[in-house]
Amino acid sequence: MKKKLKIDSYNKKILSTLHLEGALTNIELAERVNLSPSACFQRVKALKEAGYFRNLHADINLDQLCEHVLAYIEFTLEDNSAPSRRRFVSRIHEIPEIMDCMQLSGDVDYISLSCFPNLKKLNEICSGLSDQTDLRIKHIKTRIVLERAKWFLGYPLSKLKWLDDEKFDGEMISERVSI
Amino acid sequence: MKKKLKIDSYNKKILSTLHLEGALTNIELAERVNLSPSACFQRVKALKEAGYFRNLHADINLDQLCEHVLAYIEFTLEDNSAPSRRRFVSRIHEIPEIMDCMQLSGDVDYISLSCFPNLKKLNEICSGLSDQTDLRIKHIKTRIVLERAKWFLGYPLSKLKWLDDEKFDGEMISERVSI
DNA sequence: TTGTCTGCAAAATAATATTTTGTAATTAGG
DNA sequence: CCTAATTACAAAATATTATTTTGCAGACAA
């Protein structure tokens, strides 16, 4: 079903454009990438079916909607055996306040970006995790986000070496939008 | 121009739906929120104009597209006076590989999630920042992401306490929001 | 009551998405 | 070198959707 596609300069431009501006109509997108609407449509469809991108997401203005607290939470496990890690990661997935979680090199095993309605709730959830002894968490360190110095603007696609790069001799991918 | 809107249950459902699935057509969205297509359309339009959400972004499958290295980079400044911070943040904005950057409470001043084509490039950029003495960076700590244990799935909107419209008496915030 | 305002649904229209078709360029096999 | 077979594209045709317009009903104030 999932077919491997050649990621030529058209597909690169389609992907990077949709990454930064997913609300374009097919016609607008086609104009930007210099294809006919039908050709553009077929490529978008093929790219999606092949898994090169999944969904679109609206970036909502949380500051405008509600009070909240962002925090990085770091986890160090007693032992990082596969079963321990599996149990920990499984538990993390059950907590929607923990928005993502990355396994790291170094002394700390995991770091997660989390969002809570207030500090009380943050403390509740962290304490709850600590108290669950079967998770074998040795240490939790919480670092509150005071300010977003730079907002996430997407992957630096123009700085990465895409696959099939030998086929790409066109101009550079679309520029990133600035705040 | 930007009008204060009442964030009732319809608008909440519209925003949370688009946050998780922005590729819906207006008709599909209207069905999900139990409104007529026209009423739904007008609300979406008003919400966007009022700044409750900005754009849509395709979440592209970077693993499928190219080799890359994700890393959290932590910065501690010599002094965190306002001018030093301004200079640092300004520099950070010029580096697309640094995807976001948060000012933190605690001993470390900033943390950023970054994406590079390889470790060599990571080192180049970190070294470059260290060498720029006018940035007054005391310490840089890099923590490589070994694995994404949990992928970003959006804000935990159902867990937050949304503001009622009567609390919107203050001025509006219109910051850019991450996906 | 009367008038104004608001939000909604329904209808009408404009625009777009999506499919179909034909064609030129490319490739592989003989 | 020739001939399918394949691919990607544009153009046309059609299906579907976006968007505007209209009018109605409820809420509210004078």
Side-chain angles (χ1 to χ4, degrees), chain A residues 2-3 7 15-16 18-24 48 50-68 70 72 74 85 89 92-108 110-113 115-118 121 141-163 176-179, chain B residues 2 7 15 18-23 48 50-68 70 72 74 85 89 92-105 107-108 110-113 115-118 141-163 168 172-179:
Chain A
K2 282 195 181 180
K3 209 180 155 192
I7 304 301
L15 287 172
S16 55
L18 289 181
H19 187 43
L20 295 179
E21 209 173 340
L24 295 173
K48 184 160 194 182
Y52 288 91
F53 73 97
R54 296 213 177 79
N55 222 315
L56 301 179
H57 304 277
D59 55 350
I60 68 173
N61 191 345
L62 204 58
D63 290 335
Q64 194 171 331
L65 280 170
C66 57
E67 293 292 326
H68 61 280
L70 288 179
Y72 281 101
E74 300 177 357
R85 283 188 277 117
V89 169
I92 288 299
H93 273 89
E94 296 168 358
I95 305 175
E97 285 88 347
I98 297 182
M99 297 192 289
D100 68 16
C101 188
M102 313 270 195
Q103 190 184 351
L104 295 180
S105 67
D107 47 345
V108 166
Y110 292 93
I111 188 171
S112 76
L113 180 59
C115 180
F116 306 92
N118 48 49
K121 188 69 182 179
K141 183 174 182 181
T142 298
R143 300 202 277 177
I144 309 293
V145 172
L146 301 177
E147 193 184 5
R148 293 208 183 188
K150 178 173 182 176
W151 291 76
F152 183 73
L153 293 175
Y155 295 117
L157 296 179
S158 63
K159 300 291 181 181
L160 299 174
K161 291 194 182 54
W162 299 46
L163 300 181
R176 301 158 55 66
V177 290
S178 53
I179 289 185
Chain B
K2 283 194 177 177
I7 304 302
L15 286 174
L18 289 181
H19 187 45
L20 294 179
E21 209 172 342
K48 185 160 193 182
Y52 289 92
F53 72 98
R54 193 62 68 84
N55 221 317
L56 301 178
H57 304 275
D59 55 350
I60 68 175
N61 191 348
L62 204 57
D63 289 337
Q64 195 170 335
L65 280 170
C66 55
E67 293 291 326
H68 61 279
L70 287 180
Y72 280 101
E74 300 177 357
R85 282 189 278 119
V89 169
I92 289 298
H93 274 89
E94 296 168 356
I95 305 174
E97 286 88 348
I98 296 182
M99 296 193 290
D100 69 15
C101 189
M102 313 269 195
Q103 189 185 349
L104 295 180
S105 68
D107 47 346
V108 166
Y110 293 93
I111 188 170
S112 76
L113 181 59
C115 181
F116 305 92
N118 48 51
K141 183 175 183 180
T142 298
R143 301 202 277 178
I144 308 293
V145 172
L146 300 177
E147 193 183 7
R148 292 208 184 187
K150 178 174 183 175
W151 289 76
F152 183 72
L153 293 176
Y155 295 117
L157 295 179
S158 62
K159 300 291 182 181
L160 298 174
K161 293 188 179 61
W162 298 46
L163 296 182
F168 269 130
M172 305 300 276
I173 305 160
S174 59
E175 290 290 322
R176 187 178 170 84
V177 178
S178 77
I179 54 175

Side-chain angles (χ1 to χ4, degrees), chain A residues 21-34:
Chain A
E21 209 173 340
L24 295 173
T25 67
N26 182 54
I27 290 177
E28 289 168 330
L29 180 62
E31 279 169 4
R32 296 224 191 167
V33 303
N34 288 315

